[in-house]
């Protein structure tokens, strides 16, 4: 089938790009997906040990992965899935670090996604009605329900129906089993503290015989694979979209301008619909490059808010040892995964402590006896290793922003400066998290200790001690790779960059559907909601009558 002229261009091939391509193809459109990085087969993308470790050492010694190596995912995956920081620079104020993790290859960061799939609740979409901070989303759970359900069903996520208002139930196959220690932990925190508890929802570990070469949580293993199989989707790799090109009236985008990553040449590619799925900060960069303040023929942002209110989840981590609940060997359950873990999902119902009010909410993600090392490397025999990590909502502050004030990269495109840091509410939330973690671990009979007091790791202990995740407070923004905002949706054009259907207010054939469009960060892992927003917006774009 001849696909040119394309009817839609999708920028990015990750979690949202795959859903956008599949949704538009199933609606009958001819679609071009543009990916900045290379097309890799599964063997190249996933790699294997010990080769991956040798690549990590090379990435660290060369300085190519100095910032991204702070995240534990770097030590789990093929480091070639993390962008070369020297070729792709960005900046931040010296006293306000931002750890930006990027992945330019077919599948984007879906190849390193942890695979947790939690829905947002109406308490999250309408949080400002309670506390007056920021704006409400112009949509609610009901608007995304059918799209959540379709994605959960097609992806085959694991989970349970827990009846918790802060995490709405959805479609799921059976939950993965909890370890004996996790069951004991759940019993203690529920009975003694009244804390909510639930098995996590999402994907289990990748099994090649069951899932195929690619993990089901990745777009090449799910949505993008189906999109390409439709015969209506073409994939163009190695081209970074630099900016949009508008018509003379500046009310519609006619094309995108791409930069070839190999030789720096530029080309113009046309389509009637353009869907931005490049990831939050990359999409904001592209929009800033295409807006009238940067270019006289750019689109108009009547809100003046483009680039503002960048958010990430504020996070902090604690490790602990818990007495073994049986004779089974360490790690006897399935390995740690999106569904092989648990949550203490407080949501926005936080008890006020110390007389200080904390706005919004958080959840604690955890696991026990899923990543224990061999007995010889454990400092406390007959105990199982556990962790708790807080996911905390960050308020949408206009001072947290992305600007095009960095020097040009080697292709001549302006680079971004990211100015974002934790403020008083986030700092208070981290203190609240620490208190809740301590209570939970103590109630379950565990001992909270630094990871280096639990595991013998002489070769990497210096790296562990410098890790952003293992410090006393919160890791810097960007660390948790849940960045959202910068081109928020709103009910009025003076309040946000896109409308409730994810269309630029003054250029409605451009859809912003990745994390850039988020009005507030909520506290749940954002990827499933990004995908649901993408499906809703793409269907609306091909169905007349939405206003």
């Amino acid at each position: 089938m001849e696909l040119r002229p394309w009817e839609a261009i999708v920028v990015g091939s990750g979690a949202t790009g795959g859903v956008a391509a599949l949704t538009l193809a199933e609606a009958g459109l001819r679609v071009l997906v543009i990916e900045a990085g290379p097309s890799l087969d599964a063997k190249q993308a996933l790699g294997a040990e010990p080769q991956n470790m040798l690549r990590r050492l090379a990435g660290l010694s060369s300085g190519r992965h100095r910032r991204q190596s702070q995240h534990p995912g770097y030590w789990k995956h093929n480091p070639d899935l993390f962008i070369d920081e020297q070729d792709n620079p960005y900046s931040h104020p010296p006293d306000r670090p931002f750890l930006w993790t990027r992945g330019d290859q077919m599948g984007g960061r879906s190849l390193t996604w942890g695979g947790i799939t939690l829905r947002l609740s109406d308490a999250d979409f309408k949080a400002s009605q309670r506390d007056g901070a920021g704006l409400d989303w112009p949509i609610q759970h009901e608007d995304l329900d059918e799209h959540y359900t379709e994605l959960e069903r097609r992806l085959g996520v694991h989970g349970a129906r827990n009846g918790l208002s802060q995490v709405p139930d959805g479609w799921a196959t059976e939950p993965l089993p909890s370890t004996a220690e996790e069951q004991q932990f759940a019993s203690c925190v529920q009975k003694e503290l009244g804390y909510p508890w639930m098995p996590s929802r999402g994907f289990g570990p990748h099994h090649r015989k069951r899932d195929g070469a690619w993990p089901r949580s990745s777009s090449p293993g799910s949505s993008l694979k189906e999109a390409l199989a439709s015969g209506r989707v073409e994939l163009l790799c190695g081209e970074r979209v630099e900016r949009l090109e508008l018509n003379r009236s500046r009310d519609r985008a006619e094309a995108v301008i791409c930069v070839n990553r190999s030789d720096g040449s530029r080309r113009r590619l046309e389509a009637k619909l353009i869907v931005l799925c490049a990831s939050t900060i990359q999409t904001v960069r592209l929009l800033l490059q295409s807006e009238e303040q940067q270019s006289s023929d750019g689109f108009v942002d009547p809100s003046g808010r483009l680039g503002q209110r960048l958010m990430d989840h504020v996070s902090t981590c604690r490790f602990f040892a818990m007495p073994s609940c049986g004779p089974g060997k360490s790690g006897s359950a399935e390995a740690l995964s999106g569904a092989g873990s648990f949550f203490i999902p407080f949501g926005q119902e936080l008890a006020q402590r110390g007389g200080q009010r904390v706005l919004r909410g958080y959840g604690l993600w955890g696991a026990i006896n899923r990543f224990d090392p061999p007995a010889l490397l454990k400092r406390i025999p007959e105990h199982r290793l556990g962790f708790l990590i807080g996911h905390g909502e960050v308020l949408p502050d206009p001072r947290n922003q992305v600007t095009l004030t960095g020097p040009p990269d080697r292709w001549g495109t302006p680079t971004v400066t990211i100015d974002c840091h934790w403020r008083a509410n986030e700092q208070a939330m981290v203190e609240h998290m620490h208190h809740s973690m301590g209570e939970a671990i103590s109630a379950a009979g565990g001992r909270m200790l630094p990871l280096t007091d639990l595991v013998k790791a002489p070769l990497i202990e210096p790296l562990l001690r410098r890790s952003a995740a293992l410090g006393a407070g919160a890791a810097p923004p960007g660390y948790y790779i849940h960045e959202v905002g910068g081109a928020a949706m709103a009910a009025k054009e003076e309040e946000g960059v896109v409308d409730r259907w994810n269309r630029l207010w003054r250029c409605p054939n451009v859809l912003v559907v990745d994390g850039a469009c988020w009005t507030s960060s909520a506290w749940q892992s954002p990827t499933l909601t990004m995908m649901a927003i993408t499906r809703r917006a793409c269907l609306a774009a091909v169905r007349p009558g939405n206003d």
Side-chain angles (χ1 to χ4, degrees):
M1 179 181 179
E2 176 57 47
L3 298 182
R4 297 192 187 195
W6 299 290
E7 295 168 291
I9 287 176
V10 174
V11 181
S13 66
T16 56
V19 170
L22 178 59
T23 304
L24 295 171
E26 290 184 337
L29 274 65
R30 301 184 303 276
V31 183
L32 174 67
V33 177
I34 305 177
E35 169 55 52
S39 176
L40 305 176
D41 62 33
K43 185 176 180 180
Q44 291 173 314
L46 303 180
E49 300 295 352
Q51 293 87 347
N52 284 351
M53 181 55 75
L54 295 176
R55 295 186 187 104
R56 291 184 195 104
L57 295 175
L60 291 172
S61 62
S62 66
R64 291 184 291 111
H65 295 147
R66 180 174 57 87
R67 288 159 160 158
Q68 295 166 107
S69 63
Q70 293 285 323
H71 195 275
Y74 181 81
W75 300 90
K76 176 182 177 182
H77 299 288
N78 178 1
D80 287 346
L81 299 179
F82 295 78
I83 205 165
D84 185 328
E85 296 170 10
Q86 295 174 336
D87 271 352
N88 299 272
Y90 70 98
S91 55
H92 56 71
D95 59 339
R96 296 194 287 276
F98 189 94
L99 300 178
W100 186 15
T101 296
R102 290 169 283 174
D104 278 358
Q105 62 274 322
M106 182 186 72
R109 293 192 310 197
S110 75
L111 296 178
T112 54
W113 176 32
I116 294 172
T117 58
L118 304 182
R119 295 185 177 203
L120 271 61
S121 72
D122 281 336
D124 303 304
F125 288 116
K126 305 300 179 184
S128 74
Q129 290 183 7
R130 298 178 52 180
D131 56 37
L135 297 171
D136 286 337
W137 292 62
I139 61 173
Q140 55 193 356
H141 180 269
E142 181 181 10
D143 295 308
L144 294 182
D145 185 30
E146 67 173 283
H147 308 291
Y148 276 136
T149 299
E150 176 63 13
L151 290 164
E152 291 161 341
R153 184 189 63 79
R154 294 181 79 144
L155 296 171
V157 301
H158 295 276
R161 299 186 68 83
N162 305 106
L164 299 172
S165 62
Q166 64 268 44
V167 188
D169 289 331
W171 185 98
T173 187
E174 73 285 347
L176 295 185
S178 299
T179 66
E181 291 79 14
E182 289 169 349
Q183 294 172 28
Q184 175 68 18
F185 184 93
S187 176
C188 291
V189 300
Q190 288 175 307
K191 291 180 180 178
E192 296 186 26
L193 301 174
Y195 284 2
W197 185 94
M198 59 177 278
S200 186
R201 299 176 192 158
F203 295 91
H206 176 215
H207 294 302
R208 290 180 181 271
K209 290 184 178 180
R210 178 193 65 197
D211 303 328
W214 295 98
R216 287 184 300 117
S217 56
S218 70
S219 65
S222 56
S223 57
L224 185 62
K225 177 178 70 174
E226 292 184 49
L228 293 170
S230 72
R232 291 185 170 273
V233 176
E234 183 177 346
L235 179 64
L236 174 63
C237 288
E239 301 270 348
R240 171 165 290 166
V241 176
E242 183 178 55
R243 60 185 175 87
L244 305 171
E245 185 177 280
L246 275 63
N247 62 7
R248 290 186 177 182
S249 301
R250 296 192 295 159
D251 60 358
R252 294 190 70 80
E254 293 186 334
V256 297
I257 306 300
C258 298
V259 181
N260 185 282
R261 300 286 298 278
S262 297
D263 61 19
S265 62
R266 285 167 168 79
R267 71 163 95 180
R268 180 180 185 273
L269 300 171
E270 296 182 359
K272 294 180 179 180
L273 176 68
I274 297 171
V275 187
L276 302 186
C277 307
S279 80
T280 296
I281 296 174
Q282 291 285 30
T283 288
V284 171
R285 180 207 60 77
L286 192 162
L287 290 170
L288 287 168
Q289 184 77 353
S290 308
E291 199 252 344
E292 66 171 350
Q293 293 190 29
Q294 185 72 17
S295 173
S296 59
D297 57 358
F299 74 90
V300 176
D301 168 32
S303 73
R305 296 187 175 197
L306 179 59
Q308 297 179 5
R309 295 166 176 81
L310 181 69
M311 299 163 280
D312 185 23
H313 283 149
V314 63
S315 66
T316 187
C317 179
R318 291 293 181 265
F319 291 90
F320 60 95
M322 185 169 170
S324 172
C325 291
K329 64 180 180 179
S330 294
S332 56
E334 283 210 80
L336 177 68
S337 67
S341 47
F342 64 82
F343 270 93
I344 299 176
F346 292 111
Q348 300 198 32
E349 300 300 325
L350 296 183
Q352 301 304 317
R353 295 187 173 122
Q356 186 172 15
R357 185 186 181 208
V358 178
L359 301 184
R360 307 299 166 93
Y362 65 84
L364 302 179
W365 178 50
I368 310 169
N369 192 18
R370 292 185 185 270
F371 57 100
D372 281 30
L376 289 175
L377 297 180
K378 294 177 68 172
R379 297 189 186 275
I380 307 178
E382 300 307 318
H383 279 61
R384 305 307 194 203
L385 264 64
F387 71 83
L388 291 173
I389 298 176
H391 293 190
E393 180 166 357
V394 171
L395 298 180
D397 192 303
R399 295 170 292 179
N400 291 337
Q401 59 184 313
V402 178
T403 56
L404 288 182
T405 54
D409 62 20
R410 68 186 181 94
W411 298 285
T413 303
T415 57
V416 299
T417 298
I418 306 170
D419 189 350
C420 181
H421 73 284
W422 306 138
R423 303 181 192 276
N425 194 69
E426 286 81 52
Q427 293 165 359
M429 185 174 287
V430 169
E431 292 180 12
H432 201 290
M433 290 176 181
H434 288 162
H435 185 92
S436 298
M437 291 173 174
E439 283 190 334
I441 293 167
S442 178
R447 295 169 57 190
M448 187 162 61
L449 294 165
L451 183 60
T452 50
D453 289 353
L454 296 168
V455 177
K456 302 172 187 176
L459 295 179
I460 62 170
E461 274 194 22
L463 290 172
L464 291 176
R465 294 186 188 280
R466 294 197 300 268
S467 171
L470 303 183
Y479 165 80
Y480 216 67
I481 322 182
H482 286 177
E483 65 270 12
V484 294
M489 66 165 70
K492 302 175 182 178
E493 68 171 21
E494 62 269 22
E495 295 178 340
V497 179
V498 299
D499 68 13
R500 68 189 305 268
W501 300 105
N502 296 87
R503 302 172 297 197
L504 287 176
W505 282 104
R506 301 285 180 90
C507 190
N509 71 322
V510 176
L511 306 182
V512 179
V513 296
D514 58 19
C517 74
W518 282 44
T519 307
S520 61
S521 74
W523 62 269
Q524 298 89 328
S525 302
T527 306
L528 179 67
T529 298
M530 292 180 190
M531 295 163 76
I533 287 170
T534 300
R535 185 174 186 272
R536 174 181 181 268
C538 288
L539 285 175
V542 298
R543 293 174 180 171
N546 294 312
D547 54 30

